[in-house]
Structures are given as C-alpha cells and as structure tokens.
C-alpha cells in the first residue's frame, strides 16, 4: 500500500489538478482509435507530465513506452492510468451487449467479460468504460446496441456479472481490469430516441426502472462511475445534485471514483447552465466528479478555484486521493505496466478457446423470430445460396469493437462453407445496406441464384455505423432496397431463411409475411459466420429470447413490455381496432415481437406450476416449482421466465414485471423442476410519494412472456 496522503502532501496544486485530467493518447504522441474528437491544447511537456490518466493507446508496447516516458518526466513518479472502451470484447469480439443479453445468461456474459478483461489487460488497459447499463425502450436510439434491453432485473443481473468479471477479486491481477458503470442516469430515456437529448421523467419512474441497474453495479463493487451527457429533468447529470449527491452519495454511499463523459464538463456551458468553463468546473467538482475526460474546464480553472478559495484545498486533496487510491488498488505503484505484454496478448487474441467462447456466445444470443418449418435446413443439400449485403460481409463484429478487426471475423458464407465442405455455397450481394443504396441492378443475379438453390440464406440488416453513439434513426425499416430484395427472394424460393443484422430492433413488418424463417443475429462478433451456420443447419439449437420489443412501426416507439396498465387496455388481437382503447388505428398496440419471445427447434411444455404456500409474509418466502418438459425431438435450452402483476396497488403498476428467470437445458423428452423463491422485497415498488414499499394484496404469477401466459397462479402478500 502506498502512503497516498504523504504523496499528496508533496504535490503542488497544479500537480494535483493534473491527476484529475484525462487526455487522449494522441496528446502523448501516439496514435489512438477513439470515439471523441482529439483536441490540441498546446500543452508543454512539463504540463503533460502531471496528467493522471489517458484514454486510448495502441498496444502494450506503446502504452509501456508512454508510461516509461511519463514516469521519467513526472517529478512525483505517479503512474498514469490507461483507460478505454472495451465494450464487447477487446480483440476477440463477442456479440454486442443487446445481443448477449438475449442469452438470458449473465454467467455467460461473465465468461465473455473475463476473456475481454484478460485480453485488454495484456494490451495495457487498466480500466474499461463498461458496463453500459442504461435501460432502453426506444429503438431509434443508436446506443441500445450497448445495453441489456428494457428490463431492469435482467439488465441489473448482466451489469453485476460484468463488473465482477472485469474486476475479479483483485484488480491488480494481470487478468483483471477496473470497470466503470455508465451512463448515470437514464441516458437511455433520451426524448424521441435522439442521442444526447433531454430526459424528462418522474422520480418514481426513474427510481423504479432506470436506477436499479446502476445500483446493482455499485453493489457489485464497481470502481468507477460515469455520469451521462443528458440533462435529467433540466439539470445535466454531470452537475446534477439529485443524482450525484442525494442518490449516489447519500442514499447509495458510493465511494468509488467518478469520471465525466467525454467533454461533458465543458458541455455544461453548451447546455447553458454554466456561464463559462470556470463555473462548469466548479459545478462538476462540487457534485463529486473527480476526473474530467477530454475537456479543459478543470485543467484551466480548478487550480485557480482552489487558490481563490472557492474550492477548499482539502476537497481537491480528497479527489486526488480517490484517483491515487484507484492507482494503488490497480497495483500501479508496484508495476506501472500492470503486466501489459503484447506477447501474452497475441497468444490469447482469437485463440481457439477465445473463438470457441465467442461462437458459443453468438449462438446463445441469436433469436429465432419465426420458423414455418424451414429451419433447421438439412445438410444433404447440393447448393446453398447466400444472398444480401451481409452474405460475404465480415463486418459482423459490429460497432465499437475495440481492437477487433473485421478481416479476422467469419462471414456467413464462410461459416456455411466451412460447416458444409461438400455443398456448393454460392453468394450474391443483391444490393447495398445504406439508406442511399437504391440500386437494384444486383437483384437479378441474386434471384437467379436463389432459384437454383436448395436453400437460401438471406442476409440483410443495417450497417454497423448506423448504431452506437450519435446514431439515432427516425425510420426503423431495413435501409435501402433490402425489403424488396427479401420479398423478391422469398417469392422465388420458399426454402429461405432471413438473417437480420443490426444494433437495434428493426421494424421487420414489411418482410414478416413473405418470410418463413427469421433469425435475429444482432452483431454476433468474430465468430458470427460459424454461429450462423451452426444454427441454420441444426448443429446448434436457437435459445435466445428478445430483451427489447420489436415495434411494428416507428410510431410505436417507445414500446416495452412492462408498460403501465392503462384504464383502456387494448387486448384485442392485432389489427382489430377497438374503439376508445389504448392502441393505434393502423398497427394496434402490440409489438411485432415481444420481450421474452424466441423460438427453438424443439418444443417445451409447461406442465405445472406449484406454490408451496399462497400467502407470503415479510419474513417468509414462497417456493415456486415449475415443471417443464422438452416435448420435441431435439435437445434444447429454454428460458423460464416468471412474471408477476400486482392486482391492486396505491399507484399504477406495470401490466407485468419479470420477477425471476432461469435458463435450463433439457434433452429431448426430458422433464425438470425449475424452482424460484419469492420474497417480499421483490414485490416492492416506488409509490406516488417516492417511497419503496410493498403493499398487502393479491398478486398474479405466471410463466411465459408478454401476453403469452403459459401457466398462472396467484398469491397474497399479508402484512
Ligand atoms: C461516450 C462514452 C465513452 C467515452 C469515451 C463518449 O463519447 O459517451 O460512453 O466511454 O466517449 O470513449
């Protein structure tokens, strides 16, 4: 343990401020691959020597060199921290967050995250800006791709698993790195799905749905937190006393470090809540933001704010202490390189075991949306046609894939060729996937090929750069002429399956009727092509379930399963208009695909649900036993989803809420009992007075998803 206090006592005010500044790697004369714009501030070498952390950095060798140079020039010999966005893998890329969440398997997410931590640590990274755990309900928002979807319980479980896996027991170990939960809070609720837009939600909704995911990461011991860009009810998160003081500090007792998002402190002036950078620096600092990422408010002003007596030096010291303690926990005072080693990295990157994990994760993340007996395809075919813009495309790794390389990924056509070496696998592009790709001259070739094939795999979607930060969409259909391509191919060869790639739920209504089989691939990662081949030809059995509802039209957004119960619910089957009910004239109120929905090649039957008691008290529990049978002729996995609905409460509650889930593997013909425990805290909700309470009364309980209630019961909470 370093004597941090003694170290701080020997530092000048400017040196202390330096510890609270994060600059991008290009400031230190090395290339970097970053999301935000690099800026040039005209810093001297001496000024640079005081900087506390760096975002980006090419590889271990470069980072080592930067650290060595830094330690040579820093009078206090304080190592820098190197941070970056390891989002869904470092070099071996696994499915995007939204995809992986469809596995309903936080343990699997933990395995993937551990792999990413090992690779990133070898590459010289000390901390990742992940997990991103913003609850999302609006597919127009590009960053839904990083999230775990629309349910707080599921997203919290994934957040917790990721924090634990990144950090392990000890972040100084060479296999682990520190994590940073983001973006606090409710960034995913941006009005109309437009990135960086205002968020205006009630405290009750915030607490009920949006805050639990961050809290779960904090309870899991996350070392850093990042406030969001948006304003929440009028106050930007970076300087929001309700979020940063009342909730984070006073209620949750968060004791870790806080870093601003890129340029977010400067943006307090753009939001118009700070007159200038000095005021912005004061506001953010006072709300507990320790490190400023890539803008100049702290750098230019924090020292003077202390010298002018506006900020007490003791508070500056406390912030520096937080940063230095994290460096100490990372073991950087003993090994400033955190065992960074390109050679160790190269032995791991895309190694057979890492590829195998990425493949398994991709297989568990894909969701079979429709299957009219087409899939799985038999393997004794003569010719398979793979058509569409994703047929031969290796950009299946998707956006924000850190050091992942497109040319190291397996395309769909490659995956099928490898699986079926004796089958002729031919591909045709058909058309492009950009909005402006309206050229249909490739249709004929694709249609002719489809006609000549025994089976057709149609690979369509949106390009990787249409999702992620600042990539909101006002339409959700397949870009360009892809819808026409799908319909044209389906018309000539009914033995077709459509694979859909993208970072968000797309509006697939216009291809639904013509398509006999639809498989949502998301961005599956480095092993996407192999996973697709396994699933298409029955080597793997789809088991993913959607974690975000798929709208029938952009006008349905935001759309989510755990919506509040309306006084005029529209329960009528889709398309049937019910007067004065809570739906749309032209597309009803149901999504095209629901949260929790996803097919398998086998069939499952819920035989019974038994409760060991029908009354629950505050110190007791109810054990629920669900009897599940695999009634098909294939082994498979099913996600047993347990939902509840509070029949009468003092404030309106959702139509249904996920209470628990378990993923189970059953061999063909096999049955199993799946058990859940219900305790009183799980029934609590935020009432109209913003208190977390439970209320006595009756609760409905069911297994299924959305309005597919396979098996139901009820119990009473007694107080
Ligand atoms: C994003 C963050 C990210 C940061 C650093 C920002 O633009 O909002 O999620 O961690 O850049 O790359």
């Amino acid at each position: 343990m370093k004597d941090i206090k003694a170290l701080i006592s020997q530092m000048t005010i400017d040196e202390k401020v330096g510890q609270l500044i994060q600059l991008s790697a290009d400031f230190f004369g090395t290339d970097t691959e970053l999301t935000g714009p690099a800026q040039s501030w005209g810093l001297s070498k001496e000024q640079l020597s005081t900087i506390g952390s760096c975002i980006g950095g090419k590889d271990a060798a470069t980072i080592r060199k930067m650290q060595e140079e830094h330690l040579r020039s820093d009078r206090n010999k304080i190592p820098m921290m190197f941070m970056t966005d390891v989002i869904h893998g470092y070099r071996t890329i696994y499915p995007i967050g939204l995809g992986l969440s469809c596995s309903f398997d936080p343990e699997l997410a933990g395995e993937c995250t551990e792999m990413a931590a090992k690779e990133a640590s070898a590459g010289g990274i000390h901390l990742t800006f992940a997990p991103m755990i913003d609850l999302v309900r609006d597919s127009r928002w590009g960053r839904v791709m990083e999230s775990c979807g629309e349910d707080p319980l599921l997203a919290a479980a994934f957040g917790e698993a990721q924090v634990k896996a990144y950090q392990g027991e000890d972040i100084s170990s060479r296999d682990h790195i520190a994590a940073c939960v983001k973006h606090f809070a409710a960034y995913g609720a941006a009005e109309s799905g437009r990135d960086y837009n205002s968020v205006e939600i009630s405290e009750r909704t915030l607490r009920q749905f949006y805050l639990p995911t961050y809290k779960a990461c904090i309870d899991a011991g996350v070392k850093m937190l990042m406030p969001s860009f948006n304003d929440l009810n009028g106050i930007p998160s970076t300087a929001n006393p309700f979020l940063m003081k009342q909730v984070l500090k006073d209620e949750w007792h968060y004791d870790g470090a806080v870093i601003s998002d890129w340029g977010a402190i400067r943006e307090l002036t753009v939001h118009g809540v700070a007159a200038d950078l000095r005021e912005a620096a004061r506001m953010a600092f006072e709300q507990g933001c320790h490190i400023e990422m890539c803008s100049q408010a702290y750098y230019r002003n924090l020292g003077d704010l202390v010298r002018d007596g506006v900020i007490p030096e003791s508070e500056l010291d406390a912030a520096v202490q937080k940063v230095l303690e994290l460096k100490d926990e990372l073991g950087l005072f003993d090994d400033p390189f955190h065992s960074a080693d390109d050679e160790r990295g190269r032995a791991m990157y895309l190694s057979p075991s890492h590829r195998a994990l990425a493949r398994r994760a991709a297989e568990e993340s894909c969701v079979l949306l429709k299957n009219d007996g087409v899939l799985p395809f038999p393997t004794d075919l003569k010719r398979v046609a793979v058509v569409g813009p994703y047929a031969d495309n290796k950009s299946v790794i998707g956006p924000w894939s850190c050091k992942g390389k497109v040319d190291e990924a397996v395309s769909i056509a490659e995956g099928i060729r490898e699986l079926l070496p004796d089958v002729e696998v031919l591909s045709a592009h058909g058309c492009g996937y950009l909005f402006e790709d309206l050229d249909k001259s490739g249709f004929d070739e694709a249609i002719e090929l489809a006609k000549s094939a025994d089976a057709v795999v149609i690979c369509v979607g949106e390009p990787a750069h249409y999702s992620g930060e600042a990539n909101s969409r006002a339409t959700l259909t397949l870009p360009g002429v892809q819808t026409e391509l799908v319909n044209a191919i389906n018309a000539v060869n009914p033995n077709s399956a459509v694979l859909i790639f993208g970072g968000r739920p797309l509006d697939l209504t216009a291809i639904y009727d013509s398509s006999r089989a639809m498989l949502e691939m998301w961005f599956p990662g480095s092993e996407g092509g192999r996973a697709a081949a396994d699933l298409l030809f029955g080597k793997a059995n789809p088991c993913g379930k959607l974690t975000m509802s798929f709208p029938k039209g952009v006008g349905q957004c935001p759309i989510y399963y755990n919506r509040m119960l309306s006084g005029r619910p529209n329960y009528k089957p889709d398309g049937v208009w019910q007067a004065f009910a809570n739906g749309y004239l032209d597309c009803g109120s149901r999504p095209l695909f629901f949260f929790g929905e996803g097919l398998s090649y086998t069939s499952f039957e819920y035989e019974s649900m038994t409760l060991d008691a029908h009354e629950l008290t505050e110190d007791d529990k109810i054990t629920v036993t669900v009897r599940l049978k695999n009634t098909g002729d294939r082994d498979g996995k099913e996600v047993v989803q347990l939902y509840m609905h509070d029949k009468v409460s003092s404030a309106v509650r959702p139509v249904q809420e996920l209470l628990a889930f378990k993923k189970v593997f059953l061999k063909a013909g096999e049955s199993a009992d799946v058990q859940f425990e219900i305790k009183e805290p799980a029934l609590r909700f935020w009432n109209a007075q913003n208190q977390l309470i439970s209320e006595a009364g009756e609760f409905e309980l069911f297994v299924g998803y959305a309005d597919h209630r396979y098996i139901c019961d009820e119990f009473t909470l007694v107080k």
Side-chain angles (χ1 to χ4, degrees):
M1 276 295 261
K2 185 86 183 159
D3 187 348
I4 307 274
K5 284 217 160 80
L7 182 55
I8 294 174
S9 70
Q10 74 181 36
M11 294 167 73
T12 66
I13 288 180
D14 290 334
E15 285 170 344
K16 292 176 192 174
V17 172
Q19 286 303 313
L20 309 186
I21 310 295
Q22 175 158 108
L23 296 179
S24 57
D26 49 358
F27 278 78
F28 304 89
T30 126
D31 283 337
T32 180
E33 301 133 21
L34 292 169
T35 53
Q39 299 154 349
S40 177
W41 302 2
L43 299 175
S44 69
K45 245 194 149 21
E46 197 197 335
Q47 285 168 316
L48 265 183
S49 73
T50 65
I51 298 301
S53 61
C54 171
I55 170 169
K58 250 185 155 172
D59 49 28
T62 321
I63 289 175
R64 275 181 167 268
K65 209 165 133 238
M66 288 165 74
Q67 188 75 293
E68 274 164 12
E69 275 173 25
H70 168 78
L71 289 172
R72 257 198 301 276
S73 53
D74 178 17
R75 183 180 77 89
N76 297 304
K77 308 286 170 230
I78 303 174
M80 279 205 289
M81 274 188 287
F82 289 86
M83 312 186 186
T84 204
D85 294 278
V86 182
I87 302 295
H88 55 114
Y90 179 77
R91 181 74 172 267
T92 311
I93 304 302
Y94 51 85
I96 55 168
L98 187 57
L100 193 54
S101 69
C102 294
S103 69
F104 270 71
D105 190 345
E107 229 173 86
L108 175 64
E111 284 180 62
C112 290
T113 308
E114 229 174 307
M115 165 175 82
K118 275 188 196 150
E119 291 191 4
S121 177
I125 299 304
H126 306 149
L127 181 145
T128 174
F129 300 117
M132 182 282 211
I133 211 70
D134 304 326
L135 194 92
V136 295
R137 296 173 159 182
D138 194 329
S139 197
R140 291 172 293 182
W141 194 49
R143 301 196 77 166
V144 303
M145 77 103 193
E146 295 163 58
S147 79
C148 292
E150 66 196 38
D151 181 72
L153 180 97
L154 181 84
F158 271 77
E160 180 188 338
Q162 289 176 69
V163 168
K164 289 185 172 159
Y166 277 128
Q167 299 191 160
E169 293 288 306
D170 175 7
I171 53 169
S172 75
S173 113
R174 67 176 200 176
D175 286 342
H176 292 285
I177 58 177
C180 170
V181 60
K182 68 189 189 185
H183 308 84
F184 186 65
Y187 184 32
E191 189 182 78
S192 53
R194 206 141 45 96
D195 206 358
Y196 317 122
N197 222 6
S198 295
V199 173
E200 185 90 26
I201 47 179
S202 70
E203 185 177 332
R204 178 170 122 84
T205 297
L206 183 75
R207 288 186 181 277
Q208 184 72 45
F209 295 100
Y210 289 90
L211 295 188
T213 55
Y214 310 104
K215 174 71 162 53
C217 292
I218 287 169
D219 290 346
V222 74
K223 299 292 175 194
M224 192 176 268
L225 171 139
M226 184 190 290
S228 52
F229 282 127
N230 57 283
D231 79 85
L232 176 68
N233 300 329
I235 312 292
S237 302
T238 311
N240 188 314
F242 168 74
L243 281 179
M244 303 303 292
K245 277 268 160 69
Q246 185 180 324
V247 175
L248 192 61
K249 289 271 174 229
D250 300 345
E251 295 179 21
W252 295 355
H253 309 293
Y254 176 64
D255 192 33
V258 174
I259 190 167
S260 81
D261 203 342
W262 186 300
I265 301 186
R266 180 189 69 83
E267 287 169 20
L268 294 176
T269 65
V270 189
H271 274 292
V273 296
D276 50 30
L277 286 187
R278 180 178 158 107
E279 200 178 348
R282 181 188 56 75
M283 288 169 72
F285 188 83
E286 282 177 357
Q287 296 314 324
C289 187
H290 303 117
I291 302 178
E292 176 175 28
M293 184 196 290
C294 300
S295 58
Q296 305 191 25
Y298 279 12
Y299 183 70
R300 303 265 179 233
N301 299 288
L302 210 50
D304 286 345
L305 283 164
V306 173
R307 281 184 281 267
D308 295 347
V310 179
I311 292 174
E313 190 164 353
S314 57
E315 286 183 18
L316 177 64
D317 289 356
V320 175
Q321 183 164 342
K322 191 67 59 194
V323 173
L324 297 185
E325 276 169 2
L326 182 54
K327 293 185 177 187
D328 196 27
E329 262 195 88
L330 282 160
L332 297 181
F333 290 105
D334 299 325
D335 171 13
F337 310 108
H338 198 259
S339 305
D341 180 356
D342 283 323
E343 212 171 298
R344 183 161 52 89
R346 277 191 290 271
M348 276 189 273
Y349 305 149
L350 298 146
S351 64
S353 66
H354 284 198
R355 276 199 181 270
L357 177 56
R359 181 175 183 166
R360 177 156 62 88
E363 288 171 4
E364 304 250 339
S365 302
C366 295
V367 185
L368 184 62
L369 299 172
K370 184 174 180 185
N371 189 17
D372 185 5
V374 173
L375 292 178
F377 289 131
T379 50
D380 56 344
L381 303 168
K382 283 207 174 68
R383 175 182 280 188
V384 173
V386 190
V387 300
Y390 271 106
D392 279 314
N393 193 333
K394 285 167 173 277
S395 51
V396 290
I397 57 172
W400 229 0
S401 9
C402 206
K403 308 286 179 195
K405 294 191 164 80
V406 166
D407 59 12
E408 290 171 346
V410 182
S411 75
I412 305 308
E414 282 172 340
I416 298 174
R417 280 187 196 113
E418 187 183 288
L419 183 72
L420 306 173
D422 301 330
V423 176
E424 187 181 23
V425 180
L426 299 174
S427 59
H429 183 65
C431 62
Y433 53 20
L434 303 177
F435 299 130
E436 60 271 28
D437 283 335
L438 303 176
D439 180 9
K440 295 196 239 168
S441 57
F443 272 34
D444 285 349
E445 185 199 357
I447 290 170
E448 286 314 309
L449 181 61
K451 275 187 194 163
S452 73
D454 305 313
V456 188
V457 182
I458 312 173
C459 306
V460 290
E462 55 173 12
H465 65 279
Y466 281 9
S467 54
E469 186 175 351
N471 294 319
S472 299
R473 287 188 60 183
T475 56
L476 292 173
T477 46
L478 291 165
V481 291
Q482 295 181 91
T483 296
E484 287 170 66
L485 179 74
V486 174
N487 291 335
I489 303 283
N490 281 334
V492 298
N493 193 335
N495 204 30
S496 298
V498 189
L499 305 192
I500 302 114
F501 296 82
R504 52 161 63 80
L506 292 168
D507 169 11
L508 303 173
T509 318
I511 61 165
Y512 182 83
D513 286 342
S514 82
S515 304
R516 292 182 59 208
M518 297 166 81
L519 184 62
E520 175 61 49
M521 297 296 298
W522 307 111
F523 285 110
S526 312
E527 287 289 295
R530 293 197 177 105
D534 289 348
L535 290 165
L536 287 166
F537 294 92
K539 198 176 153 202
N541 191 350
C543 58
K545 306 279 183 189
L546 294 180
T547 55
M548 240 191 123
S549 308
F550 273 49
K552 268 191 189 147
V554 77
Q556 283 190 332
C557 292
I559 185 163
Y560 46 98
Y561 89 93
N562 45 3
R563 66 194 185 280
M564 291 297 164
L565 195 53
S566 159
R568 295 195 172 186
N570 185 341
Y571 284 139
K572 289 281 174 187
D574 205 9
V576 178
W577 180 65
Q578 203 189 355
F580 301 103
N582 176 228
Y584 297 97
L585 288 180
D586 42 5
C587 65
S589 58
R590 306 166 93 222
L592 186 63
F593 301 110
F594 290 94
F595 175 92
E597 181 166 1
L599 302 167
S600 164
Y601 295 152
T602 189
S603 50
F604 293 97
E605 199 180 307
Y606 287 90
E607 295 182 326
S608 63
M609 174 162 76
T610 42
L611 278 59
D612 68 346
H614 282 84
E615 274 190 9
L616 179 65
T617 61
E618 280 178 352
D619 352 275
D620 207 358
K621 62 171 197 242
I622 292 179
T623 303
V624 181
T625 307
V626 177
R627 183 97 184 137
L628 174 69
K629 183 166 188 192
N630 180 344
T631 49
D633 54 8
R634 277 172 188 270
D635 302 350
K637 288 182 183 167
E638 168 73 334
V639 179
V640 184
Q641 303 166 52
L642 186 69
Y643 292 87
M644 63 125 176
H645 170 64
D646 190 349
K647 285 169 93 175
V648 180
S649 45
S650 61
V652 179
R653 293 192 68 178
V655 178
Q656 65 235 336
E657 290 167 80
L658 187 65
L659 199 54
F661 60 91
K662 261 184 201 163
K663 193 169 185 174
V664 281
F665 170 79
L666 289 181
K667 287 188 173 301
E670 202 180 16
S671 300
D673 283 339
V674 183
Q675 288 204 324
F676 300 99
E677 279 183 358
I678 304 175
K679 291 185 179 162
E680 178 271 337
L683 309 177
R684 292 182 193 167
F685 71 108
W686 291 89
N687 70 5
Q689 289 72 42
N690 295 316
Q691 297 152 330
L692 183 63
I693 57 155
S694 63
E695 290 176 345
E698 289 176 358
F699 289 78
E700 289 170 1
L701 197 64
F702 75 93
V703 171
Y705 66 92
D707 48 11
H708 297 253
R709 301 185 171 201
Y710 299 136
I711 200 155
C712 310
D713 206 337
E714 294 191 356
F715 67 92
T716 307
L717 177 64
V718 184
K719 290 198 136 189

